[in-house]
């Protein structure tokens, strides 16, 4: 099978032929149809976070069809459509797993970092961590939901109650998806984009944002909550200063530059800063149920598998708006 492989961090992916992977007892073999490209893939490629067990196949937003299964798998049939997200495995016995917080499991494994992902024609995944998809789900449209949508949805749920005005900082894959959910829930959304990024601002307005403007400028109104999708720590302090009393800033990325110091006055009046770490399977089921009720349109730029490195370079350069998806099968 063909795969785009990270051999050395900080260097381009290599397109190689590999033996067909063999599923373990709890695994399914998946014929990959599409895999969306995430900024975490870029962080791994650029060695901003560590990859484990190189060479590694990146990609953790996989849509595909089950082509085989291990001896212990009974929950997924051959021929079923599934989605594979970032969370690949947990121990299911630690104090986090047993209290509904498997996203914090200290022994968790993650797709495309600890186990091979979906930048390949075939992938293996633990059946217990795959998400069932409707047979008619469009692979290209669905793939970005499996991380951009999921992390955005978890972040949205962690903003708290009484959110009427929501700020989204960094308007890429996750933001353009969760903006649609938030608008459907009745929120007024303000999109903060890089100064001069007219394409991102236009995308924000097209998916329901009430306002779009530069992220280094002031908010047009006090925010009840803000979600930071960009990896620039300075945006945390800017968003904090835009909050109304009782508001929250949720940092949704796995990697961020240092957050500058700020005055206690900016935090006072019960403002909150918190992070999102990974996701749970419950998040996945909840999001898929949400988008079944709320049509969410993924704005995508597609690339063939052999252009995986170009897709990462375009993501780094901000060369497209919305999501990038590798069209594999």
């Amino acid at each position: 099978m063909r795969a785009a492989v990270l051999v050395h961090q900080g260097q381009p992916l290599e397109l190689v032929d590999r033996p067909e992977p063999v599923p373990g007892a709890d695994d399914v073999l998946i014929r990959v149809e599409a895999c969306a490209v995430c900024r975490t893939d870029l962080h791994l490629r650029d060695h901003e976070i560590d990859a484990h067990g190189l060479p590694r196949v990146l990609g953790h937003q996989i849509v595909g069809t089950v082509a085989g299964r291990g001896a212990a798998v009974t929950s997924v049939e051959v021929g079923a459509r599934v989605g594979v997200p970032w969370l690949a495995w947990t121990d299911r016995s630690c104090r986090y797993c047993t209290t509904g917080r498997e996203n914090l499991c200290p022994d968790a494994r993650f797709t495309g970092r600890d186990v091979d992902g979906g930048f390949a024609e075939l992938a293996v995944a633990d059946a217990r961590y795959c998400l069932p998809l409707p047979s008619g789900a469009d692979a290209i449209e669905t793939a970005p939901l499996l991380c951009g949508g999921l992390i955005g949805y978890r972040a949205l749920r962690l903003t708290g109650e009484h959110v009427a005005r929501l700020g989204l900082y960094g308007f890429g894959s996750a933001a353009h998806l969760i903006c649609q959910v938030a608008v459907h829930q009745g929120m007024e959304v303000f999109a903060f984009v890089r100064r001069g990024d007219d394409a991102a601002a236009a995308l924000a307005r097209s998916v329901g944002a009430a306002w779009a403007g530069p992220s280094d400028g002031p908010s047009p109104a006090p925010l009840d909550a803000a979600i930071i999708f960009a990896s620039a720590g300075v945006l945390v302090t800017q968003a904090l200063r835009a909050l109304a009393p009782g508001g929250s800033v949720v940092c949704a990325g796995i990697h961020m530059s240092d957050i500058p110091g700020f005055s206690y006055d900016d935090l006072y009046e019960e403002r909150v800063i918190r992070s999102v770490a990974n996701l749970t399977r419950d998040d996945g089921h909840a999001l898929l149920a949400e988008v079944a009720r709320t049509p969410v349109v993924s704005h995508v730029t597609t690339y063939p598998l052999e252009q995986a490195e170009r897709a990462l370079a375009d993501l780094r350069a901000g060369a497209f708006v919305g999501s990038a998806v590798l069209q594999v099968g």
Side-chain angles (χ1 to χ4, degrees):
M1 70 158 190
R2 291 184 309 157
V5 179
L6 179 66
V7 179
H8 301 287
Q9 290 191 271
Q11 296 184 20
L13 303 187
E14 297 182 16
L15 190 68
V16 301
D17 288 317
R18 288 184 134 195
E20 182 175 307
V22 178
D26 294 313
D27 298 334
V28 288
L29 176 67
I30 299 166
R31 192 167 302 283
V32 178
E33 301 170 28
C35 186
V37 179
C38 179
R39 188 161 290 275
T40 299
D41 298 316
L42 184 59
H43 292 321
L44 288 162
R45 184 259 185 244
D46 288 349
H47 205 178
E48 292 170 325
I49 57 177
D50 288 335
H52 300 159
L54 296 178
R56 177 65 66 212
V57 179
L58 302 182
H60 55 273
Q61 301 179 86
I62 306 167
V63 174
T65 303
V66 174
R69 61 182 189 172
V73 177
T74 59
S75 59
V76 183
E77 298 291 336
V78 172
R81 301 286 299 295
V82 294
V84 181
W86 174 241
L87 186 68
W89 183 90
T90 60
D91 64 24
R92 299 177 299 284
S93 61
C94 69
R95 69 189 185 99
Y96 298 106
C97 287
T98 56
T99 54
R101 298 178 292 166
E102 65 183 5
N103 60 305
L104 301 177
C105 176
D107 296 317
R109 299 171 194 161
F110 300 101
T111 311
R113 191 195 75 169
D114 305 299
V115 300
D116 284 338
F119 287 11
E121 293 175 325
L122 294 167
V124 163
D126 190 315
R128 296 166 294 186
Y129 294 82
C130 294
L131 298 172
L133 299 177
S135 59
D138 182 272
I140 300 297
E141 289 279 324
T142 303
L145 296 172
L146 297 172
C147 185
L150 268 173
I151 291 298
Y153 190 65
R154 183 173 181 84
L156 182 64
R157 296 208 288 182
L158 290 178
T159 56
E161 301 178 347
H162 314 300
V163 177
R165 290 188 182 128
L166 174 69
L168 300 178
Y169 286 76
F171 210 85
S173 182
H176 94 277
L177 296 169
I178 210 59
C179 177
Q180 298 172 66
V181 175
V183 169
H184 186 264
Q185 292 180 358
M187 299 179 197
E188 188 176 20
V189 177
F190 299 84
F192 295 84
V193 306
R194 285 177 295 187
R195 183 172 293 277
D197 194 343
D198 295 335
L203 175 61
R205 288 188 286 266
S206 76
V207 295
W211 174 90
S215 57
D216 59 356
S219 174
L223 305 174
D224 299 309
I227 303 175
I228 312 294
F229 292 112
S231 57
V234 67
L235 294 178
V236 177
T237 54
Q238 290 178 208
L240 184 63
R241 295 184 185 114
L243 290 183
S248 60
V249 174
V250 180
C251 304
I254 193 172
H255 169 81
M256 181 175 279
S257 61
D258 289 345
I259 300 171
F262 54 88
S263 167
Y264 179 67
D265 289 342
D266 294 334
L267 185 64
Y268 187 59
E269 294 182 303
E270 301 192 349
R271 295 174 177 89
V272 174
I273 302 174
R274 69 177 305 165
S275 67
V276 168
N278 312 312
L279 56 105
T280 68
R281 285 171 285 180
D282 284 344
D283 292 328
H285 296 306
L287 174 65
L288 292 175
E290 179 78 34
V291 298
R293 299 187 298 266
T294 309
V296 173
V297 177
S298 299
H299 292 257
V300 301
T301 300
T302 59
Y303 298 80
L305 176 62
E306 57 266 26
Q307 292 184 10
E309 175 66 24
R310 178 187 165 192
L312 290 171
D314 287 352
L315 175 60
R316 186 189 300 109
F320 57 81
V321 294
S323 306
V325 177
L326 299 184
Q327 190 167 1
V328 181

